[in-house]
Amino acid sequence: MEIAFTILLFIALVATAIAIVFIKRLFAVVMLSGVFSLLAALLFIVMDAVDVAFTEAAVGGGISSVLMLGTIALTARTQKQPERYSLVPLAIVLLTGAVLIYGTLDMPNFGSPDAPAQRHIGPEYIARTPTDIDVPNIVTAVLASYRGYDTLGEVVVVFTAGLGVILLLSGLGRRRGTPYPRGVSANRDQDNAQ
Amino acid sequence: MNDHHLILRVITRMLTGPILLFGLYVQFHGDYGPGGGFQAGVIFAVGFILYGIVFSLRDLRRLIPDWIIHKLVALGVLLYAGTGIVSMLLGANFLDYNPLAGTPIGGQHLGILLVEAGVGITVFAVMLAIYYAFAGRPPSLNDEDW
C-alpha cells in the first residue's frame, strides 16, 4: 500500500515537472511549482520525515509561490520563446541525471539499519535526548541544542539573504536625500550612507 | 481593489487569526511535535502577507512599518547568538544551555525556547521584508492580465 502510494506520488511529481517545462504561462508554472512542493511534502511524510515535510509545505508550497508571483508582477507573465533550440542543454541534463542515478546505486536501501546515517551518531542522540534534554521531539533537540551551531549558521544565512534584498530592492538609500537623477550610480547611495 | 473580491476579503478576515494562532502553536509546540522556528516564522509571515495581498500593501505597511521589520531581522539573530554568549558568561561553552536555569534540563528547555524564538523572529521578518521589497515596487500588470 505504502509502496503503491510512493510510486503514485513520484509519477505525479514527474508529471508536474514535465508540465512545468512545457507550459509557457508563468502564472500556471508558479502554481504547478507549488503543487510540486506539496507533492514532495507528501513524499517526505510517507518517509516519516514530518519536520522536513512541514518545512517543504510552508516554504516551497507557500511563501515561494507568493514571492514568485511578486516577481512575475514585476517582469513578464509569459515565457519568452527561444530563438532556436539547442541540444546541448538537454545532453547536459541527461548526463547529470544519469550520473546522479548511477550514484544512488551505491547508496544503502531506504530505511536500512546498516546505513551510515543509522549507525553513526544518530543512535547516540536518540539514547541521550531523554536524559540530556528531555523533549519528546528529538529533531528539535538535535537542531536547537546538539547542533546549535549549525542552526545559528542557518539563521545567519536567512539574515544575510534578507539583508541583501532590503539593501538592493527596498530603496533605503534614497530616503536619506533627494533622489538622484538618472544615470547616477547607485553606489553613491552607499557612500553617503556611511 | 476595494470594490470587488468580496469573498476573498471575507475569507481572509476569517483566516488571518487562525493562521497567526497556528504559527504560534508551531513555534511553541516544536519541542513536542513537528515544527519549530523556521516553519512558525514562515506561517506567521504568511498570515500577514495574505492580508497584504487581499487588502493592500499600504495597510499592511501601516500595521508593521519597514523600520520595525528591519529591527526584527537583526533581533532574531541577536537573540540566538546572545543566548550563546550568556551561556558563555555563565561558564559553559557557546550555546551550551545547561547553566541557563537551575537544573540542566530546565536550562536546555529555556535555551531551546530562546533560540527557537530567535529563529522564528528572523525568518518571519525576512519573509515580510522580501515580500515588501517585491510587492512594494510599482505593478506592471492589471488584474485582468493574469
Side-chain angles (χ1 to χ4, degrees):
Chain A
M1 178 62 203
E2 196 177 303
I3 290 180
F5 193 56
T6 310
I7 292 174
L8 198 70
L9 279 176
F10 268 115
I11 292 174
L13 211 58
V14 172
T16 315
I18 292 175
I20 288 176
V21 172
F22 281 103
I23 290 178
K24 298 292 177 212
R25 280 193 63 183
L26 292 178
F27 183 74
V29 169
V30 170
M31 291 299 125
L32 280 175
S33 69
V35 169
F36 188 91
S37 286
L38 290 178
L39 287 171
L42 281 178
L43 263 176
F44 291 141
I45 289 176
V46 173
M47 294 174 180
D48 288 336
V50 276
D51 277 271
V52 183
F54 204 162
T55 313
E56 180 67 39
V59 176
I63 201 120
S64 300
S65 304
V66 171
L67 295 179
M68 287 292 192
L69 287 181
T71 315
I72 289 180
L74 293 179
T75 53
R77 63 184 185 283
T78 49
Q79 189 179 338
K80 262 192 208 140
Q81 289 288 348
E83 303 273 315
R84 58 192 175 82
Y85 289 93
S86 163
L87 285 179
V88 178
L90 183 66
I92 292 175
V93 167
L94 286 179
L95 191 70
T96 314
V99 168
L100 287 174
I101 290 173
Y102 175 72
T104 61
L105 295 181
D106 276 346
M107 283 174 70
N109 287 332
F110 174 71
S112 157
D114 295 330
Q118 318 289 352
R119 299 175 65 100
H120 185 45
I121 202 167
E124 198 180 331
Y125 286 148
I126 294 171
R128 283 178 51 182
T129 296
T131 51
D132 278 2
I133 299 176
D134 192 28
V135 294
N137 187 1
I138 297 176
V139 176
T140 299
V142 172
L143 282 182
S145 187
Y146 290 122
R147 294 273 166 188
Y149 263 130
D150 295 5
T151 310
L152 177 61
E154 286 172 36
V155 178
V156 172
V157 168
V158 173
F159 170 76
T160 315
L163 206 64
V165 169
I166 289 170
L167 286 175
L168 286 174
L169 288 182
S170 70
L172 268 186
R174 260 174 269 151
R175 207 186 290 155
R176 295 176 191 276
T178 51
Y180 293 115
R182 271 185 199 172
V184 175
S185 150
N187 288 334
R188 274 184 52 191
D189 275 347
Q190 292 170 3
D191 294 341
N192 287 358
Q194 292 162 4
Chain B
M1 199 64 185
N2 280 326
D3 49 355
H4 56 306
H5 298 315
L6 175 67
I7 295 175
L8 276 182
R9 279 188 284 134
V10 172
I11 297 291
T12 303
R13 265 179 217 273
M14 284 164 56
L15 278 182
T16 305
I19 290 176
L20 297 185
L21 208 58
F22 184 59
L24 289 174
Y25 167 79
V26 172
Q27 171 81 48
F28 294 110
H29 207 256
D31 294 3
Y32 302 97
F38 277 97
Q39 295 94 329
V42 171
I43 292 171
F44 212 70
V46 163
F48 287 95
I49 290 175
L50 183 67
Y51 181 86
I53 289 177
V54 173
F55 294 93
S56 76
L57 184 63
R58 204 167 47 86
D59 290 344
L60 183 59
R61 275 197 147 128
R62 224 168 42 199
L63 187 67
I64 312 181
D66 287 41
W67 66 269
I68 291 186
I69 295 288
H70 296 159
K71 301 282 185 292
L72 286 179
V73 168
L75 178 72
V77 179
L78 281 177
L79 185 59
Y80 198 131
T83 308
I85 303 280
V86 168
S87 62
M88 271 174 88
L89 292 177
L90 291 173
N93 287 328
F94 185 64
L95 290 175
D96 178 0
Y97 314 130
N98 281 347
L100 289 180
T103 61
I105 285 182
Q108 289 286 345
H109 285 188
L110 182 62
I112 289 177
L113 186 79
L114 287 173
V115 300
E116 290 278 8
V119 173
I121 290 170
T122 289
V123 171
F124 161 73
V126 166
M127 292 305 155
L128 265 191
I130 294 176
Y131 173 69
Y132 279 10
F134 276 81
R137 317 205 106 204
S140 56
L141 288 180
N142 298 321
D143 273 2
E144 288 74 22
D145 286 347
W146 294 102

